Amino acid sequence: MALKATIFKADISITDMDRNYYNDHNLTIARHPSENDERMMLRIIAFIVNAHEHLQFTKGLSDDDVPDLWQKNFSDEIELWIELGQPSEQRIKKGCNQSQHMMIYAYADNSFEAWWKKEQNKLHTRKNLSVFSLPESLAGTLANAVQRSMQIQVTIQDGQMWLTIEGTEVTESVEIAIQKHM
């Protein structure tokens, strides 16, 4: 019998002074059986940094034809395609060709660094692609804060992000480009 997704709820209050975006989002997140807490929280961080009324989670790991998150306009055109981790060159090509802008988010661990060294020359030719890495230490901090129902407050100002998850303050003020690789 196939395992079912685990459902998580996140009530997120975003104060993004850099983009003048102030909104609350009540998210329902289906975590695929093969997805760990670190990856799920990376999806939430990608959502927070790019928050928009039309940004949404997709089937992600359950469907190879869609990104982890996307933002579509009213004409059903993909404005933003967001992938996590280290996607293949074919996946990046697909995302760049089908959307106005593509973003990749990953934790800056050894596998990311190896992937980046291998792919960076090819990726620099993609004008609508941005690659961001978060400190590897943040993965564990975020994973330890995971609960089935989470209250998350976020403040973004001057390229810095401060998170409070259920009263646990993530004190590493995370640089938004967290580290931009393009």
Side-chain angles (χ1 to χ4, degrees):
M1 179 183 344
L3 296 174
K4 294 185 178 193
T6 304
I7 303 301
F8 289 81
K9 301 278 187 180
D11 293 329
I12 303 174
S13 179
I14 300 172
T15 302
D16 186 340
M17 292 178 256
D18 291 351
R19 295 188 307 142
N20 291 321
Y21 183 86
Y22 310 93
N23 209 342
D24 294 331
H25 295 272
N26 299 314
L27 304 178
T28 300
I29 303 141
R31 188 178 76 188
H32 190 274
S34 67
E35 183 176 39
N36 60 24
D37 288 341
E38 288 88 353
R39 187 176 191 286
M40 182 185 72
M41 292 305 288
L42 184 58
R43 279 198 293 150
I44 292 173
I45 294 297
F47 182 92
I48 290 168
V49 172
N50 298 285
H52 185 277
E53 64 184 30
H54 298 293
L55 183 64
Q56 57 187 297
F57 294 108
T58 66
K59 292 182 180 179
L61 291 173
S62 299
D63 187 344
D64 291 338
D65 292 331
V66 297
D68 292 292
L69 295 97
W70 64 13
Q71 178 179 315
K72 290 183 168 185
N73 63 22
F74 292 115
S75 301
D76 208 34
E77 297 166 328
I78 303 170
E79 295 176 327
L80 180 60
W81 178 296
I82 299 176
E83 289 283 339
L84 303 180
Q86 298 131 36
S88 67
E89 186 178 353
Q90 293 79 20
R91 190 110 176 118
I92 294 168
K93 182 179 178 181
K94 179 178 183 171
C96 288
N97 289 342
Q98 291 187 12
S99 66
Q100 294 172 15
H101 191 78
M102 179 180 184
M103 294 181 165
I104 299 171
Y105 287 85
Y107 291 114
D109 57 12
N110 290 336
S111 66
F112 173 80
E113 295 303 326
W115 174 82
W116 177 249
K117 285 179 183 172
K118 179 182 169 208
E119 302 292 334
Q120 67 181 339
N121 290 334
K122 290 180 249 177
L123 298 181
H124 279 293
T125 63
R126 303 262 176 212
K127 299 302 179 205
N128 64 336
L129 174 66
S130 299
V131 179
F132 300 95
S133 64
L134 285 73
E136 185 178 12
S137 60
L138 185 62
T141 303
L142 292 173
N144 288 336
V146 169
Q147 297 177 24
R148 292 288 295 272
S149 180
M150 297 178 276
Q151 301 286 326
I152 302 173
Q153 288 80 37
V154 181
T155 302
I156 298 172
Q157 182 178 12
D158 298 329
Q160 301 270 325
M161 176 171 44
W162 294 270
L163 292 165
T164 303
I165 304 171
E166 289 292 324
T168 301
E169 189 171 323
V170 177
T171 55
E172 299 176 47
S173 59
V174 179
E175 300 253 351
I176 289 302
I178 314 193
Q179 184 170 3
K180 187 170 182 182
H181 291 276
M182 299 301 273

